[in-house]
Amino acid sequence: MRIGNVGRVLLVVVGVLVAVPAIAVVVALVRYDRARSVPMPDVHAVTDPAVIARGRYLVYGPARCADCHTPDDARPQLFKGEEVPLTGGPGEHTYIGTWSAPNLTPDPVTGLGRVSDGEIARMLRYGVNRRGRIAPPFMDSYANLADDDLVAILSYLRSIPSETGTPPDARINLLGKITLAYFLDPYAPTKTPPVHLAPDASAAYGSYIANTLAGCRTCHTARNLETGAYTSPPFSGGLAFHSRLHPGQVYVSPNLTPDPATGHITAWPEDGFVARFRAGLLIPDSPMPWGSFRRMSDDDLRAVYRYLQSLAPVHHVVGPVLQAEHGQAAG
């Protein structure tokens, strides 16, 4: 039986419909791992004790590096406010793959011993790793780190003892390769990062802590967990995290804006806000990095409180902190 003109057209159309997605997937399998061209920050670690002390405060405090780069068995000590080894943690399990939280000590095999200062700084500021490849935007808030704080973190990490730990490891699924190939670009500073910011208890400095150092915005704003894109107004809450202790339930980040009806801390007094952070972990598997935040100075906590109270109110009903799982969830 002969195929008429209409039949031939249909065959061509079907062939194209099959071939185009297949080609797109093949291209993604190659393209996702391409090198990304971003600036290499010209910063270098120093041995000044004051700078190293600032780096220690940031790493174990507001910048919460220790919260991810610490082994699970050391977390009880971390939540007590103790300094624990930065030898790597379990990492992130996402819709697009699993990434380790690698060793931050100077170990030359599993840690940062063979990674240059510029490469570390590039990862923090642009999300491009030591291999020149893009990483998911787990640390996108650090893009706007002040130069002095970037140097302080580098200097502290270079000063700690070398220990064997968790090496970098990425297990990316097909959806992840497609996402990295077509939908994710390196993040970047929203403006020229400041060279120095003097810490004080002002709302202006609180903005720097909440948006950059502590990254409050990254968890207290709803996000698409496949692309990292924000889907609700900043600080209005709504991002869900799996509960380890309560299967089928999630913790949902509360609204931090001063909305009188839906704001979680609207009625909190400033001293009460500080006291809550000093109390640390109260809910056993809370996704909040209480171990790091309880180490913050009073001035830093007051600065964050004053900044959050200065935000425009956003009416956003996110429900109770612990609720039944629905939709996307992190962790």
Side-chain angles (χ1 to χ4, degrees), residues 45-57:
V46 300
T47 57
D48 184 327
V51 175
I52 292 173
R54 171 68 175 172
R56 175 184 286 109
Y57 170 70

Side-chain angles (χ1 to χ4, degrees), residues 13 38 55 63 81 100 158 168 180 189 244 285 301 321 324 327:
V13 170
V38 299
S100 68
R158 294 303 195 199
L180 293 175
R244 296 183 181 183
D285 65 333
L301 289 172
V321 171

Side-chain angles (χ1 to χ4, degrees), residues 180-203:
L180 293 175
Y182 296 112
F183 302 109
L184 275 185
D185 291 315
Y187 57 78
T190 56
K191 57 185 177 182
T192 301
V195 174
H196 173 73
L197 284 175
D200 60 27
S202 68

Side-chain angles (χ1 to χ4, degrees), residues 22-60:
I23 292 171
V25 169
V26 171
V27 171
L29 294 176
V30 176
R31 190 170 183 262
Y32 87 95
D33 198 38
R34 70 192 186 279
R36 303 298 183 110
S37 179
V38 299
M40 185 79 76
D42 185 20
V43 295
H44 305 280
V46 300
T47 57
D48 184 327
V51 175
I52 292 173
R54 171 68 175 172
R56 175 184 286 109
Y57 170 70
L58 295 175
V59 166
Y60 284 103

